[in-house]
Amino acid sequence: QVQLVESGGGLVQAGGSLRLSCAASGRTFSRYAMGWFRQAPGKEREGVAAISGNGGSTYYEHSVKGRFTISRENAKNTVYLQMNSLKPEDTAVYYCAATTNRGTLIDTDYNYWGQGTPVTVSS
């Protein structure tokens, strides 16, 4: 069982940056691949980035590649999403998720979810 708590969301102007954090409970954090997902109003949830348990592999959705970076610190049970060059279309609630399977950008592959943190990018 893993409990996830996101933080770091907020309001930012276009072109700005935010760093999201997701703190996980439990003793076996490195066993879980982690993902970041987002859901904008009226849209389906989409995968943004994912990272393997040891941090050696990362995956990005096309529209964020080169702007967002996913990373993790297993000693701190924390995964991050650094978001640079933010655009209004990045506005959404961002969720972190954990899976005992291979990390993907498919939400149904994930077992555990945080409550989400809102990100608003103004133009």
Side-chain angles (χ1 to χ4, degrees):
Q1 190 80 9
V2 176
Q3 293 182 325
L4 305 172
V5 179
E6 301 97 333
S7 61
L11 173 65
V12 64
Q13 288 189 331
S17 298
L18 281 175
R19 188 175 83 153
L20 306 182
S21 300
C22 174
S25 65
R27 299 174 294 174
T28 58
F29 180 63
S30 62
R31 292 186 182 181
Y32 295 88
M34 301 295 295
W36 283 98
F37 293 78
R38 65 186 180 187
Q39 187 165 21
K43 295 188 176 182
E44 291 189 356
R45 186 165 56 191
E46 65 173 352
V48 174
I51 188 167
S52 61
N54 65 5
S57 298
T58 56
Y59 312 91
Y60 295 94
E61 192 270 330
H62 177 74
S63 71
V64 309
K65 204 172 289 187
R67 300 189 297 123
F68 290 11
T69 302
I70 189 170
S71 63
R72 65 191 296 160
E73 288 189 76
N74 285 347
K76 295 184 178 180
N77 280 18
T78 303
V79 63
Y80 305 98
L81 185 68
Q82 177 67 44
M83 305 187 295
N84 299 327
S85 301
L86 282 161
K87 304 176 181 180
E89 50 264 44
D90 295 318
T91 294
V93 177
Y94 283 71
Y95 300 88
C96 74
T99 179
T100 52
N101 302 312
R102 176 177 160 271
T104 71
L105 299 180
I106 302 171
D107 58 358
T108 53
D109 287 345
Y110 287 78
N111 312 102
Y112 306 100
W113 292 84
Q115 81 291 349
T117 185
V119 171
T120 303
V121 184
S122 63
S123 56

